[in-house]
Amino acid sequence: MVIKTDELPAAAPADSVREPSSQTGSKGRPGAADLPSVMLLNGDCPESFKKEEGAAEPLRENGLEEAEPGEETPGQEVIVIQDTGFSVKILAPGIEPFSLQVSPQEMVQEIHQVLMDREDTCHRTCFSLHLDGNMLDHFSELRSVEGLQEGSVLRVVEEPYTVREARIHVRHVRDLLKSLDPSDAFNGVDCNSLSFLSVFTDGDLGDSGKRKKGLEMDPIDCTPPEHILPGSRERPLCPLQPQNRDWKPLQCLKVLTMSGWNPPPGNRKMHGDLMYLFVITAEDRQVSITASTRGFYLNQSTAYHFNPKPASPRFLSHSLVELLNQISPTFKKNFAVLQKKRVQRHPFERIATPFQVYSWTAPQAEHAMDCVRAEDAYTSRLGYEEHIPGQTRDWNEELQTTRELPRKNLPERLLRERAIFKVHSDFTAAATRGAMAVIDGNVMAINPSEETKMQMFIWNNIFFSLGFDVRDHYKDFGGDVAAYVAPTNDLNGVRTYNAVDVEGLYTLGTVVVDYRGYRVTAQSIIPGILERDQEQSVIYGSIDFGKTVMSHPRYLELLERTSRPLKILRHRVLNDRDEEVELCSSVECKGIIGNDGRHYILDLLRTFPPDLNFLPVPGEALPEECTRAGFPRTHRHKLCCLRQELVDAFVEHRYLLFMKLAALQLMQHKASKMETPTSLENGSLPSSEPKPEEPPGPEAGSEEEGGSASGLAKVKELAETIASDDGTADPRSREVIHNACKAVGSVSSTAFDVRFNPDIFSPGVRFPESCQEEVRDQKQLLKDAAAFLLSCQIPGLVKDCTDHVVLPMDGATLAEVMRQRGINMRYLGKVLDLVLRSPARDQLDHIYKIGIGELITRSAKHIFKTYLQGVELSGLSAAISHFLNCFLSSYPNPVAHLPADELVSKKRNRRRRNRPPGAADNTAWAVMTPQELWKNICQEAKNYFDFSLECETVDQAVECYGLQKITLLREISLKTGIQVLLKEYSFDSRHKPAFTEEDVLNIFPVVKHVNPKASDAFHFFQSGQAKVQQGFLKEGCELINEALNLFNNVYGAMHVEICACLRLLARLHYIMGDYAEALSNQQKAVLMSERVMGIEHPNTIQEYMHLALYCFASSQLSTALSLLYRARYLTLLVFGEDHPEMALLDNNIGLVLHGVMEYDLSLRFLENALAVSTKYHGPRSLKVALSHHLVARVYESKAEFRSALQHEKEGYTIYKTQLGEDHEKTKESSEYLKCLTQQAVALQRTMNEIYRNGSSANIPPLKFTAPSMASVLEQLNVINGILFIPLSQKDLENLKAEVARRHQLQEATKNRDKAEEPMVTEPEPAGPPRDAASQPQATKDPSSPSLQG
């Protein structure tokens, strides 16, 4: 049954609902005590979020937990910025006055931005705003402006130009002319990216005015293109980027460029000339324009003759657009149309993304003249940014100053996080540009006399180094291979220390860029480090991997604060003089105090403990789980470490074990007390400690639930008492805790505290004698962690995939799912082995395919990297197309085309030692053959992933593993940054190679960087999710709206997390029946997903499906269909047809087609869905029963009752065996069977009547029912998992009782918490109530891998 929202389980009291007027505020909110969910600690929903990005880490019990500066004490109200907007009137020259809504904390500058964007004022850039004749300061906040209030009049006053202002103006006009042109998005510049949603919705979403009237069936063309139909083999590439009709831009001008007469000579400067422009209008009129301090006018110069005198008429205008309007009628007409279109586009199609997204395909574009682009390429982009005062940015200063901003309350934290995020995305963009300039050879090295590999560069105040082993630094760790991996490890370290965010400890801005086969590390520069020798400046850590080691009390104090969240053990090591030195990090981590007095840490490549499965140590045996799986294996470098997610999961696992052990002993202790008060010993742990990996004896949970829960509560209390160490705990209990600590390898014996020593097994690091026992325990702990990865995490991943808890669709989503569980990509072979051996092998088919594809493309990427290093710039497209031919084309012997002047350059280049890194001139790449490449790929797969591929050519791989060549092309392009031409490639032709040089359009960098987080917003988002999961939709909705505001505050308008927020909001609005709001939010979510994640990212496919459902509910049927077809096309391209998600998609398409009475088409999709469901969920699953029912309904509509009965019987049988005779579903199905039988009988009678009496028979008209939209929508909701709760009345009562009971429990714990602030909150042992069945499936969305986004 479907619960209507008004019967949802006991919703919270109405008084907690906030009035809508406070947009981000807490006006109508009762005292903090009533609504604890808004506290940033979210104490009241323990089970809703375990460890999301370490956000709500269970606090452990040693009393060391200081309240973080960011956390409010429960007494405080969370004050969110009060944001009451008001409106002001704007008077601009030449147009009607208009009013504008503003908010007090906006800056005056933001009004400028709005005016520069508005259709009627967009051509102005150089103006100021005046209030009562006083000029407003650009950078002041509106609330600080005296006399500014509701209804004030702001006058726009034109200001005189300067050279800078004139440049900004020309740039702005060029941007307006190019505003619909997608070329920047295809070229991956200025944070532009693609979006195609408007092509499929025709912009009619939510325009209720133009809404199709009622449910009149406008004849909709429902036939999908041939390649989208089930069973189609072709996978065309062109539909990926459909041609948008706005792209054929209206030509306003033929040429707008800087004139060759720039800069003005001295005598003209003194007349106010700033610069000269040259324009060819659409009517072919050539004019020369002067930009002067007073505006723009025509002069008398020609291309070859300089005459700066004003022409007559000179048309002096303050804006260039006004001038051009006067001299070119075509410009006037087209510019107006262009601006109208620009303003009609959804803002999300235009706003820049925070980080650049690159497209791996692009259509052929003609290259047009563009003065600003040309100027950018040669001037402002090298060295300094044109628009920023003070020329170069001191990146380090900016990055560190933003971290030092205060963070005591919410507004301060928002401001700080916003600043950190902004500087960070700017730094990433600059570093990426610099890294490309370095590899392309446009930056001079700071040590030009050294060999290419050893060179280092400084550009724009950023330091660049290449991923090669300079001066044998990594000789013992794997040489160049280790030097290639170190930067990413270091970046993970920086990410982690940034997330812990300890005041006073600073990391460098770090970006790792892979471009043209080279890895470049970009770092901000510590002040003063370039003047000093490294030996002098390092005062903590070691620069020679542990021979000489230094320590420093201030560093120890700062790092001690990070040791808790990062699980790092403070330890001692010996230096070369055999002195003990104390450290709280790995030895490679260096501490340097900059000239600015800040304490920096760098080289964080060993922040996490080593992964022993890939680090064979002589004389050390690994646990049996590891040796069984063939570990330890020798990896190509010795820098393998465990992921932070794994360390966290392992500690969590140990914590539960600790609780169970202690509870068990307490039970035994209690039992023994009852029997014989004297013999206490038998209660203590048996002397042979249980192996920590398997929970001891009977699981603590095996007694009746109540007992174990209360046992755990006791342990908790006990642990707190002992941790606080006030001597009240009796010695017996102390012993219980002590034993449990010892059994789980805790470093403290009075409280649970598992930490790792990152220096264990580091070559060259020695430990003092006194620590030998500690070292032995630490070694054991590392072995246990390595075993835990193999025995828990990988099987857990495979189980989640079997149960379809996670649904990866391509390589990137598979990698993400693995990383969330702490499994490194080098275990991919092991994951695939386990999938192959799994009893549910067929249900894991999609995982196996994705895994094999990922394995092949990653191996190919490794080979491609070294292949590219040997290619000089002029041979780049030839080399890449040759590689792609060898990799994907069936053509047996592709020939590489060498650049023509190859022989000439060879002789000359012998003498040049310091070529740019990307200018090697060997032609070894040209001799590669497909056979050789595939042999290398198989070898690489064996060496790196320990997996044996059974294929020698691409066609065998496709045949043997069921892969698609187009998918492989997408994966390799995304991994290496290749951009190919959008066209249909004939991969399978044996007569000509698939790719030519002209098909490779570009090669982009692949960028890794830190993603600063909006912590407060994230807490709100999680509390909102928790509320929704408990069934409190309204409160959940408010919290998520709050989160959305905060996210926007920190990230700006575009971000992955905002996308997740919008999707959840849309879903909630939909459930609560507000379809228009759902549509508008989901439309934003789709646009944002396309822009930020990519137009064919699996997440975007999900968003398209949700949007289609909301469109259908708003009776926009044709739109819903075209969205679903788009989603199906993308799924086919990204993976293929055989994916569990395809069943959901096809059910959706089939239902909509059923609704518009396209029965035959509908059947094709529904029967495909049935086949896929049967394969992935097993023939007896409830999903399959539902599928049978949907097919039966269509057969009924076609009056083919026999087939209908057959399918419904199948469904009925499944319901009967799975749910029993009396279940509502079974009864519904049996009713439907009766109804079908009656119809079948009636039809048969009629037929018999006709046969007997011939045509004269009087036939009662047969009732054929077209399905009602409501019934179709109901089924759509069911399959999309929206609020579908198979509950009987009794279950409902239980659920209400359960929710109430929990509420009381929370109240009770809250009151207790107030009484004594406990040192520990432990993850709730019991799962959420009766799992998914009992929760409105608003958030347990079967289709989305994780709502966290």
Side-chain angles (χ1 to χ4, degrees), residues 349-364:
E349 293 180 60
R350 305 185 285 154
I351 300 170
T353 58
F355 299 104
Q356 184 66 57
V357 177
Y358 299 103
S359 162
W360 63 279
T361 52
Q364 192 73 61

Side-chain angles (χ1 to χ4, degrees), residues 74 119 190 237 248 498 512 645 650 662 717 724 779 815 817 824 834 897 906 912 1024 1041 1046 1093 1113 1162 1267 1278:
E119 190 184 344
D190 290 343
L237 185 56
K248 278 286 145 264
N498 279 354
V512 178
E645 297 89 339
F650 177 68
E717 245 165 77
S724 58
K779 287 184 174 174
V817 166
N824 311 69
L834 200 58
H897 299 283
K906 265 205 149 132
R912 290 178 47 218
N1041 261 317
L1046 299 186
M1093 298 173 101
S1162 170
V1278 170

Side-chain angles (χ1 to χ4, degrees), residues 1277-1335:
N1277 288 339
V1278 170
I1279 61 172
N1280 286 299
I1282 288 195
L1283 228 68
F1284 171 57
I1285 314 181
L1287 291 186
S1288 59
Q1289 200 47 45
K1290 198 173 99 227
D1291 285 348
L1292 238 168
E1293 295 307 315
N1294 292 352
L1295 179 63
K1296 282 187 178 158
E1298 167 77 4
V1299 170
R1301 191 178 68 73
R1302 287 194 145 204
H1303 201 69
Q1304 285 165 357
L1305 221 132
Q1306 283 166 6
E1307 289 300 316
T1309 50
K1310 217 180 316 161
N1311 298 339
R1312 205 190 67 225
D1313 289 358
K1314 283 201 182 96
E1316 28 134 17
E1317 285 290 272
M1319 282 341 284
V1320 58
T1321 62
E1322 51 108 320
E1324 191 124 323
R1330 223 169 308 109
D1331 192 52
S1334 67
Q1335 300 170 11

Side-chain angles (χ1 to χ4, degrees), residues 832-895:
L832 290 176
D833 282 340
L834 200 58
V835 167
L836 277 176
R837 295 203 310 272
S838 160
R841 163 73 185 83
D842 282 351
Q843 296 180 25
L844 289 166
D845 206 28
H846 60 301
I847 301 292
Y848 188 62
K849 273 186 201 163
I850 296 171
I852 293 284
E854 185 70 349
L855 199 96
I856 290 175
T857 43
R858 276 180 182 264
S859 303
K861 178 185 81 169
H862 295 168
I863 297 162
F864 183 65
K865 181 188 82 194
T866 37
Y867 171 91
L868 266 194
Q869 287 179 7
V871 180
E872 75 168 315
L873 200 46
S874 60
L876 212 48
S877 56
I880 295 173
S881 59
H882 181 61
F883 183 90
L884 290 176
N885 279 329
C886 294
F887 183 42
L888 295 173
S889 176
S890 306
Y891 182 64
N893 38 3
V895 181

